[in-house]
Amino acid sequence: MEKHSKTLLRFSALFAVLGAFIGSHMAGAGSLAFKTVHAHILVVGWLTLFAWAVYYKIFTPAKTIVATLHVWSAIIGAIGLTAGMWLYYLRPFNLADGFVTILFIVGGSILLLSFVFFGVLTFMKTEDEA
């Protein structure tokens, strides 16, 4: 599970840099246009992925398929939710509303699924208990 911890930690770091950059941009521009996206990038992307990286560093789930599903659904969901949110609220390109809404909803749904996988993991035996 060291691999899962490191993967989540690296993506967490990428979200932290992006979130800090957006916050810095908002401060410099004197605009709060990115506030919702900024908050979700930092809470979902940085904080949640970091917390899960710590979980995998401390605990080693016995069933790796659920752990693998959890890690990748968390990463894909966090990217999908925050990218969809950015496109939905700021409309930087002239994309169809349906596409943007679907990206937003699918990303959020995948992220929600990762929380379910994490909940399942917390009730499973770890390798130490097996």
Side-chain angles (χ1 to χ4, degrees):
M1 292 303 136
E2 181 76 24
K3 180 180 172 187
H4 290 323
S5 179
K6 189 172 271 190
T7 299
L8 286 167
L9 185 64
R10 286 177 174 163
F11 275 94
S12 169
L14 293 173
F15 275 103
V17 169
L18 182 60
F21 177 79
I22 290 172
S24 175
H25 170 73
M26 287 191 313
S31 168
L32 296 177
F34 290 96
K35 68 182 176 196
T36 304
V37 178
H38 166 72
H40 280 78
I41 285 172
L42 289 177
V43 173
V44 172
W46 174 53
L47 185 59
T48 303
L49 294 185
F50 180 81
W52 286 337
V54 171
Y55 168 81
Y56 283 106
K57 190 70 174 170
I58 296 171
F59 300 100
T60 305
K63 298 242 185 203
T64 59
I65 187 68
V66 177
T68 301
L69 288 171
H70 168 249
V71 168
W72 288 107
S73 63
I75 292 166
I76 292 166
I79 292 170
L81 174 75
T82 55
M85 186 177 281
W86 174 63
L87 292 169
Y88 183 82
Y89 286 117
L90 297 171
R91 308 285 182 181
F93 311 111
N94 210 4
L95 297 173
D97 285 345
F99 170 77
V100 172
T101 304
I102 288 170
L103 179 62
F104 195 174
I105 291 171
V106 169
S109 297
I110 292 171
L111 184 63
L112 179 60
L113 190 58
S114 76
F115 276 91
V116 171
F117 288 138
F118 180 70
V120 169
L121 280 173
T122 63
F123 287 95
M124 293 172 58
K125 288 187 176 192
T126 61
E127 284 187 357
D128 298 340
E129 298 170 328

